[in-house]
Amino acid sequence: MILDEAGDDYVTRTGMTEFYVQYFKGLATIEGARLQTVIEVLLQKFHLDQKIRIDFEEFYSIVSNDPTLLQCLCQFTVSPQWYFRSLSDPPPEKNKVRQAFSSCCCKREIFEQQKKKLSIHYITDNLSRLMMLMLYILINIGLLIYVTIYRVTTTKSHALVVVARICGMLLNFNCAFIIVLMLRQTILLIRSNRVLRKLIPVDDHIDFHGVVGRVITALSFLHAIAHIAYIAALTNYSMATYLFFMNLGIGWVNGFAPLSGIILLLILVTMVICSMQWVRSGGHFGVFYWTHLLYLPFYVFLIVHAEDFWKWIVGPLSIFLLEKLYSIFARYTSGIGRTCIHTATIEQSNVISLTIHRPKHFSFQPGDYVSINLPRVALYEFHPFTISSAPEETDFIRVHIQAVGNWTKRVYKRFDEMSDEEARENQVKISRADIHPQEFAAHVQNLEQIEIVEVEVERIENFPTESNAKEGKREPIFIKGPYSSCARYVFDCKHVVLIGGGIGVTPYASILSSLMAQFRASSIVCKHCNRMNYLSTGLSGKRRLQKVDFVWVSPDYKSFEWFLNLLRQFEQEQENYLALNLNEKRFLDLHLYFTGIKHENNIGNAPLELVTRVFAQVAGQDIFTSLKSKTNFGRPSWEIIFNRFISGENASTANDVSVFFCGPSSMGEAIKRQSAICHFRYFEEKF
């Protein structure tokens, strides 16, 4: 037996202590005073807090009378490699025949999934997407047929000219349409209307923008190749004369068409390359941002290059310019987008939280995001971040930033290295949650309970923020937005499953904070007995949203102590509500998965499972998060999780369940696939 190191049928206090000290040293999940507390709880469970050792009979009696211990210890069937320092043989290689068979089965499964993609359920769930895609294809086909008939029958053009003209007409349409896909204020209005957002798939506008961009790139090269081939085959001019000189008079502006076409291709190639995923997510977002601003000269040269393009662009471009003018006005107006930073909190694992004074006329919904500019970090750069605070917090808004790119690292470094004197000059509070995260979370909760916000508001109102920002006395910040996302639909659903991967929990922080604020607003205190209760508009009120399942997958819980604090508060509110309303159902269920826990080859996580269950029994909370909800290890099985939502007591129907995801794209693909199998509606955060 593992716990009987000497093999003398005794489990000793020293042996169990050394076993778990060494075990947790390898896991690096629980350290310091927390580890000592955990070991003390475990020793207490086995009566080793009072005794130096126990014999087999006493150990057997303790285990047999406790189902939790019995279930956990039955996994201790072999010796762990790391404890006895014995190197086992390397795992045997899989048989090649078995590998080939597995590969064939996998390919067959993928083929079956592809066949199901055009099922009735798939078409029903994606009707608006399919209709929009079909409309887009039909418009392009219609233009292609029109140009072909006109050029072949009317103008009797050469085949290469026909190809060039077809591409030119399609480019007119696509270059105008791609602007429509990025009209953010218009998209915000569509999302706010239930009927319009069902008819128009606005949640796919960024993906569609990328698709149309690829179509434009392909058409542009085909258009250029057709023209060059025609000139090379049928004219007496050299290629250099045709491409770089204007004396041939080709084009409607002094023969500028060939040269402007070359410039357009260079701009387009630059924009396409710098918008690749490996550029945007590889810490070079600034490169993507600045090169994408080349759309301004692109459209100027395109209007000069193509005689009729202005007719296609005048409508979309007018709306786009109006939105841009409003955006510029709003971001530099003190009541809408011009404000200053109140607090910068240095979180663990290179995360910083900025608490910003909320402008007087700034309005947003849970899950919305903003683009922010810190002029003392970079004068002109705006970067998008989800608002992690609730709309009900009228004085402040909050964003969480992970230092992964050049700009975000500079933001983190500025406040991390800001001296006390500089912080006082800029009137910014610098809080260090990375040093003692749990103590800091408790401190924040106490501040909320004594409601010091009123004092802060009074101080702010007596302080002219905009004038101070001009004089450089405060830390200025400019906000562009808010911009909507699919998270706005949460409150229109009956049963939502919120899935966050790592820092992807920030949209759901705003949603959960808003739900908790609404819930707290429904609490009342009886004037006669001073007992607290809740109005009928609490968790089970008249709102459509009746159930929330929150699934969080993260490699490390230590990085998100700020978010765990929110979950603890919501969990406590729910416990208070259920204690006073025994007939009510749970509104929020938490499903936490930490993937950073090492899995030992021989015994898996059996020792850790034992400790976590024992600690939960004795302390009444999870060993890692201090929540009542259990922490799971490893990656979740989406099939098992999703089936629980539609089976068992108080289960929902598939039509009532909506899945919202924000996180890595690889995880999103698996969740989207399982949602389609279960016929759940699926929404994904995209910026």
Side-chain angles (χ1 to χ4, degrees):
M1 188 173 65
I2 293 176
L3 299 178
D4 181 14
E5 179 184 3
D8 56 359
D9 292 337
Y10 282 97
V11 177
T12 65
R13 180 193 303 171
T14 303
M16 183 172 287
T17 301
E18 290 179 353
F19 177 90
Y20 272 100
V21 166
Q22 193 171 358
Y23 179 75
F24 281 113
K25 183 179 180 181
L27 291 179
T29 53
I30 301 177
E31 301 169 333
R34 183 71 168 175
L35 175 58
Q36 189 61 35
T37 302
V38 169
I39 292 177
E40 288 176 359
V41 168
L42 192 64
L43 295 177
Q44 179 184 349
K45 189 69 176 178
F46 287 99
H47 304 164
L48 289 172
D49 57 329
Q50 302 174 354
K51 301 179 180 180
I52 297 177
R53 65 179 187 173
I54 57 175
D55 58 17
F56 176 78
E57 294 298 330
E58 186 174 357
F59 179 83
Y60 178 79
S61 175
I62 295 171
V63 172
S64 59
N65 292 322
D66 192 318
T68 300
L69 291 178
L70 190 62
Q71 185 179 3
C72 294
L73 288 174
C74 70
Q75 302 177 57
F76 285 74
T77 55
V78 291
S79 302
Q81 301 165 351
W82 54 266
Y83 187 64
F84 289 103
R85 313 279 185 190
S86 61
L87 296 175
S88 60
D89 296 330
E93 294 184 1
K94 289 185 177 180
N95 185 280
K96 291 185 178 181
V97 176
R98 182 177 296 179
Q99 285 182 337
F101 180 75
S102 299
S103 177
C104 291
C105 291
C106 182
K107 290 179 180 178
R108 183 176 180 179
E109 183 181 352
I110 294 173
F111 175 73
E112 293 295 330
Q113 290 174 358
Q114 294 295 328
K115 283 175 60 179
K116 292 179 181 178
K117 275 197 171 184
L118 291 178
S119 64
I120 298 299
H121 287 290
Y122 180 83
I123 294 174
T124 304
D125 293 340
N126 298 275
L127 185 60
S128 63
R129 292 184 174 94
L130 293 174
M131 289 179 62
M132 182 60 68
L133 181 61
M134 187 63 65
L135 180 61
Y136 172 75
I137 294 172
L138 288 176
I139 291 174
N140 280 279
I141 292 175
L143 293 172
L144 184 150
I145 294 173
Y146 166 74
V147 175
T148 303
I149 294 174
Y150 178 77
R151 288 290 170 180
V152 172
T153 61
T154 304
T155 63
K156 307 294 183 178
S157 301
H158 189 274
L160 290 172
V161 175
V162 173
V163 172
R165 293 299 183 180
I166 289 173
C167 293
M169 181 64 78
L170 296 182
L171 282 169
N172 285 339
F173 166 68
N174 282 276
C175 289
F177 182 59
I178 200 170
I179 292 181
V180 176
L181 296 173
M182 298 310 292
L183 297 176
R184 292 183 174 179
Q185 296 299 327
T186 304
I187 290 171
L188 176 61
L189 294 176
I190 295 174
R191 274 205 176 102
S192 303
N193 187 291
R194 291 189 183 183
V195 177
L196 288 178
R197 71 178 182 230
K198 288 182 179 179
L199 297 175
I200 304 173
V202 289
D203 297 324
D204 301 319
H205 75 103
I206 293 179
D207 287 341
F208 209 174
H209 177 83
V211 170
V212 176
R214 294 182 181 93
V215 171
I216 290 173
T217 305
L219 290 173
S220 298
F221 276 98
L222 187 58
H223 175 76
I225 291 170
H227 271 308
I228 292 173
Y230 174 73
I231 295 298
L234 301 175
T235 67
N236 297 322
Y237 298 105
S238 67
M239 194 62 63
T241 302
Y242 173 73
L243 294 177
F244 300 106
F245 293 92
M246 301 169 59
N247 56 358
L248 298 181
I250 301 174
W252 72 297
V253 180
N254 298 326
F256 191 53
L259 185 57
S260 61
I262 295 174
I263 296 172
L264 285 168
L265 277 178
L266 292 175
I267 293 175
L268 184 61
V269 168
T270 302
M271 293 175 66
V272 169
I273 292 176
C274 295
S275 63
M276 296 292 184
Q277 180 67 29
W278 57 270
V279 175
R280 289 185 285 119
S281 59
H284 303 289
F285 184 85
V287 175
F288 160 75
Y289 176 81
W290 287 108
T291 55
H292 236 59
L293 292 179
L294 290 173
Y295 74 85
L296 294 171
F298 179 83
Y299 279 104
V300 171
F301 281 108
L302 193 54
I303 292 172
V304 174
H305 177 79
E307 182 177 359
D308 295 325
F309 179 66
W310 69 271
K311 300 174 184 178
W312 292 84
I313 197 67
V314 63
L317 188 60
S318 298
I319 301 174
F320 182 77
L321 291 176
L322 287 174
E323 287 195 2
K324 281 295 180 183
L325 289 173
Y326 171 77
S327 176
I328 293 171
F329 168 78
R331 81 179 71 158
Y332 296 116
T333 302
S334 60
I336 304 176
R338 182 179 184 176
T339 181
C340 57
I341 296 174
H342 175 263
T343 305
T345 303
I346 309 299
E347 309 282 356
Q348 290 184 309
S349 297
N350 295 329
V351 175
I352 183 171
S353 167
L354 299 181
T355 302
I356 305 163
H357 289 298
R358 182 172 175 175
K360 183 178 180 180
H361 303 293
F362 184 85
S363 177
F364 70 97
Q365 297 296 320
D368 286 357
Y369 69 98
V370 293
S371 291
I372 64 173
N373 165 250
L374 295 171
R376 294 180 182 173
V377 174
L379 190 58
Y380 299 109
E381 289 189 38
F382 280 83
H383 292 260
F385 296 97
T386 303
I387 302 173
S388 53
S389 55
E392 289 78 8
E393 297 181 38
T394 57
D395 305 309
F396 303 103
I397 58 174
R398 191 173 299 106
V399 295
H400 284 80
I401 302 172
Q402 191 168 32
V404 292
N406 293 331
W407 185 85
T408 53
K409 287 178 180 178
R410 280 184 285 163
V411 173
Y412 184 91
K413 183 178 180 181
R414 170 165 178 77
F415 294 103
D416 184 41
E417 298 179 355
M418 183 177 286
S419 64
D420 294 339
E421 182 179 355
E422 186 180 0
R424 283 193 298 270
E425 289 178 358
N426 295 324
Q427 299 189 38
V428 177
K429 294 182 179 179
I430 306 296
S431 301
R432 305 294 309 211
D434 56 336
I435 301 175
H436 301 291
Q438 293 183 345
E439 291 81 350
F440 178 81
H443 175 64
V444 170
Q445 190 169 356
N446 290 333
L447 291 180
E448 292 177 353
Q449 292 174 354
I450 62 176
E451 298 180 350
I452 64 166
V453 174
E454 294 181 1
V455 178
E456 292 290 339
V457 172
E458 182 179 358
R459 183 182 66 80
I460 295 164
E461 290 177 347
N462 294 331
F463 203 93
T465 303
E466 56 271 17
S467 62
N468 289 335
K470 287 181 181 179
E471 297 169 8
K473 293 182 179 179
R474 310 206 71 176
E475 189 73 20
I477 184 171
F478 298 102
I479 302 173
K480 188 166 61 174
Y483 301 115
S484 62
S485 67
C486 61
R488 283 201 172 199
Y489 311 154
V490 165
F491 294 93
D492 296 330
C493 304
K494 189 173 182 180
H495 180 180
V496 299
V497 181
L498 307 178
I499 304 176
I503 197 66
V505 298
T506 48
Y508 310 131
S510 177
I511 293 170
L512 294 177
S513 296
S514 180
L515 286 170
M516 187 166 61
Q518 296 174 33
F519 185 42
R520 284 176 173 175
S522 68
S523 63
I524 56 174
V525 178
C526 179
K527 296 180 180 179
H528 303 288
C529 62
N530 291 328
R531 290 186 59 187
M532 186 180 72
N533 209 327
Y534 294 85
L535 298 173
S536 59
T537 55
L539 291 180
S540 59
K542 296 181 180 180
R543 69 164 65 91
R544 176 169 173 76
L545 183 58
Q546 297 294 315
K547 185 72 173 73
V548 177
D549 279 281
F550 177 69
V551 185
W552 183 22
V553 184
S554 177
D556 182 15
Y557 70 97
K558 296 179 182 179
S559 306
F560 302 94
E561 186 62 36
W562 60 272
F563 186 70
L564 290 174
N565 183 47
L566 170 63
L567 296 181
R568 294 185 197 109
Q569 293 180 54
F570 202 124
E571 197 176 55
Q572 187 58 51
E573 286 287 337
Q574 181 170 244
E575 293 298 324
N576 295 339
Y577 174 80
L578 294 175
L580 295 171
N581 301 271
L582 300 179
N583 296 326
E584 294 293 340
K585 303 174 184 177
R586 293 182 65 85
F587 178 74
L588 173 68
D589 281 322
L590 304 177
H591 314 269
L592 309 182
Y593 291 84
F594 293 149
T595 59
I597 304 296
K598 292 182 180 179
H599 190 85
E600 213 282 331
N601 290 335
N602 277 9
I603 57 175
N605 290 320
L608 186 59
E609 186 75 15
L610 172 63
V611 173
T612 53
R613 291 199 179 192
V614 169
F615 191 86
Q617 272 189 342
V618 176
Q621 61 185 18
D622 185 73
I623 190 173
F624 299 107
T625 64
S626 299
L627 291 164
K628 296 184 183 298
S629 302
K630 177 188 174 183
T631 295
N632 301 283
F633 310 122
R635 299 184 182 278
S637 170
W638 300 115
E639 180 180 1
I640 295 174
I641 293 176
F642 282 18
N643 285 335
R644 288 174 186 166
F645 300 146
I646 53 177
S647 61
E649 190 178 357
N650 301 324
S652 300
T653 62
N655 290 332
D656 291 334
V657 180
S658 299
V659 178
F660 293 80
F661 170 72
C662 183
S665 57
S666 57
M667 186 190 302
E669 287 297 323
I671 297 170
K672 183 178 181 179
R673 187 162 53 247
Q674 190 60 42
S675 297
I677 294 173
C678 296
H679 309 309
F680 295 164
R681 287 181 294 276
Y682 175 80
F683 303 94
E684 184 173 348
E685 291 280 342
K686 295 171 184 175
F687 304 109

